[in-house]
Amino acid sequence: MNTSEKYWNKKAEGYAKSPVSDEETYKRKLTETQSFLQPKMRLLEFGCGTGTTAIHHASHVLHIDAIDISENMLNIGREKASNAGVANITFTRSTLTEFNAGAASLDAVLGLNVIHLLPDRQSVLTEVARILKPGGVFVSSTVCLGNSYFRFIKPFVPLGKFLGVMPDVYVLTESELASEVRDAGFTIERQWHHGPKDVVVFMVARKL
């Protein structure tokens, strides 16, 4: 078990109990995402956490694979889905690479609040492009700390990780993210930001 996995397993129960910080923006993201979904779609969400977003989208698609590195998060997600009567989500402990979905096998992929936590961002975007069908959609919400004075936390991340008070966090700007998404083979259809200093970037991109 790596350090990030231990961190998120430890945080799972508190994370599940914490309220959405900006309910209006969260609902906007759900609505915009669902405008791209169709009943016969197969969707994958990586870094699904406790499954709240997957449960919201479940009635709009055929099936969702929800994956995360934290088994504690997934167990909460399974319970929440069961309590909600949602039966078309499969929760699996996996990274995106380990999951190894078939090439061009999925209609949509979600990576929400996760890209800035990954050291191999470009390879992850390449993998998303590989597993999506042509014309498939990739929906992401990413903290871009490089957009503001928050970028100065970068030297303190290793210490925070060592002390167990924060996970891996990688600093990037909104323009860097957009460029990397395009380089992976996508065209961006929607892009807007929100949150303190507009650091959170919501994006819908379509595979060329």
Side-chain angles (χ1 to χ4, degrees):
M1 185 182 295
N2 63 36
T3 303
S4 290
E5 185 176 352
K6 290 179 181 177
Y7 174 87
W8 291 113
N9 274 332
K10 183 178 179 181
K11 292 291 183 181
E13 187 174 346
Y15 182 87
K17 293 177 180 178
S18 61
V20 175
S21 59
D22 183 347
E23 188 72 29
E24 183 178 351
T25 299
Y26 182 62
K27 288 180 178 178
R28 178 183 174 186
K29 291 179 180 181
L30 291 175
T31 299
E32 290 200 16
T33 300
Q34 289 166 4
S35 71
F36 288 88
L37 302 181
Q38 297 178 14
K40 293 184 179 181
M41 282 186 166
R42 292 188 175 274
L43 183 152
L44 168 68
E45 182 181 1
F46 65 96
C48 69
T50 59
T52 299
T53 299
I55 291 168
H56 277 297
H57 292 322
S59 63
H60 296 265
V61 297
L62 180 65
H63 185 265
I64 297 176
D65 280 299
I67 64 175
D68 200 280
I69 63 170
S70 168
E71 191 64 40
N72 289 355
M73 292 274 194
L74 294 167
N75 284 335
I76 293 171
R78 294 180 185 109
E79 182 177 2
K80 287 165 63 174
S82 177
N83 291 340
V86 173
N88 64 333
I89 303 175
T90 302
F91 291 93
T92 305
R93 190 270 167 220
S94 183
T95 65
L96 181 63
T97 303
E98 291 168 347
F99 191 71
N100 195 30
S105 63
L106 296 165
D107 302 288
V109 174
L110 273 58
L112 306 172
N113 303 312
V114 65
I115 293 176
H116 58 283
L117 304 177
L118 304 174
D120 52 346
R121 201 165 59 240
Q122 198 60 59
S123 64
V124 167
L125 294 173
T126 299
E127 176 66 2
V128 171
R130 184 188 72 83
I131 63 181
L132 274 174
K133 297 176 182 178
V137 293
F138 173 46
V139 181
S140 62
S141 184
T142 306
V143 177
C144 293
L145 293 174
N147 285 8
S148 72
Y149 60 78
F150 289 116
R151 64 186 180 276
F152 295 114
I153 74 164
K154 187 174 183 179
F156 302 101
V157 170
L159 177 61
K161 181 182 176 183
F162 175 77
L163 295 174
V165 297
M166 64 186 301
D168 285 321
V169 178
Y170 297 89
V171 177
L172 73 159
T173 66
E174 182 173 354
S175 60
E176 287 172 337
L177 175 64
S179 179
E180 291 174 2
V181 169
R182 293 189 186 97
D183 288 346
F186 293 91
T187 180
I188 297 172
E189 297 198 356
R190 298 193 187 181
Q191 180 180 330
W192 48 271
H193 47 241
H194 67 94
K197 302 297 181 182
D198 294 329
V199 297
V200 184
V201 178
F202 180 78
M203 188 179 294
V204 180
R206 190 176 297 277
K207 181 180 174 181
L208 297 172

